[in-house]
Amino acid sequence: MRSSLPTPSIKSPIKGAGLTKPGVVILQFLAISFVALIEIFFRSNVGFLTGLAIWASYYGALIYGRDGTTYVAVVNPPLAFGLAAILLLPSVGGASLSITRLGVDLVSGLASVAPFLITGSIFGWWYYFKERRKLLSSGS
């Protein structure tokens, strides 16, 4: 027996075409940096919450970006995390400008978010190649 109820459709929460490439970069950097700032302030290093922010930035950029921004959405989160960690660990984390302390904190922070970066990039590259194949097959 078939239901006569209408199926709900999901509307995009944004009204326009979506985020441009610079918009994706800024969104991801600000999201990762903000969560890393809070986590470094309270824990003195990055961890689980920053990893969730990395996943959210991958997902948000892939969903809310325009057509053609998928490559930027996949490449940027590791770069944004690296820049945020290099800027925030000496200033907020209390590592001062000691190169050895910054190096140790950077490696330990990278180790704690590595599973999030790896799984996010695997999903992101899969999505990128899926979209690219779809675009190439529809253009032929």
Side-chain angles (χ1 to χ4, degrees):
M1 184 170 143
R2 298 184 98 181
S3 173
S4 62
L5 296 174
T7 57
S9 63
I10 299 173
K11 294 183 180 180
S12 177
I14 54 177
K15 300 286 185 211
L19 294 171
T20 60
K21 290 178 183 180
V24 167
V25 170
I26 291 169
L27 170 78
Q28 288 179 328
F29 178 74
L30 289 178
I32 292 170
S33 296
F34 180 70
V35 175
L37 172 76
I38 292 171
E39 198 164 25
I40 289 171
F41 185 74
F42 288 111
R43 286 192 50 230
S44 72
N45 209 340
V46 293
F48 182 73
L49 295 177
T50 305
L52 291 179
I54 290 170
W55 274 352
S57 70
Y58 272 115
Y59 181 74
L62 291 173
I63 297 302
Y64 297 122
R66 292 182 182 182
D67 292 337
T69 60
T70 310
Y71 181 77
V72 174
V74 173
V75 169
N76 188 53
L79 299 174
F81 168 73
L83 182 62
I86 288 172
L87 293 175
L88 293 174
L89 283 172
S91 58
V92 179
S96 68
L97 291 177
S98 172
I99 299 297
T100 55
R101 172 72 190 249
L102 176 63
V104 169
D105 284 347
L106 195 59
V107 169
S108 67
L110 183 59
S112 64
V113 298
F116 298 97
L117 286 169
I118 291 169
T119 56
S121 64
I122 288 171
F123 173 75
W125 283 114
W126 169 80
Y127 190 85
Y128 169 75
F129 287 119
K130 182 186 79 148
E131 282 211 351
R132 184 172 176 203
R133 188 177 327 125
K134 184 172 64 172
L135 286 174
L136 291 176
S137 67
S138 68
S140 301

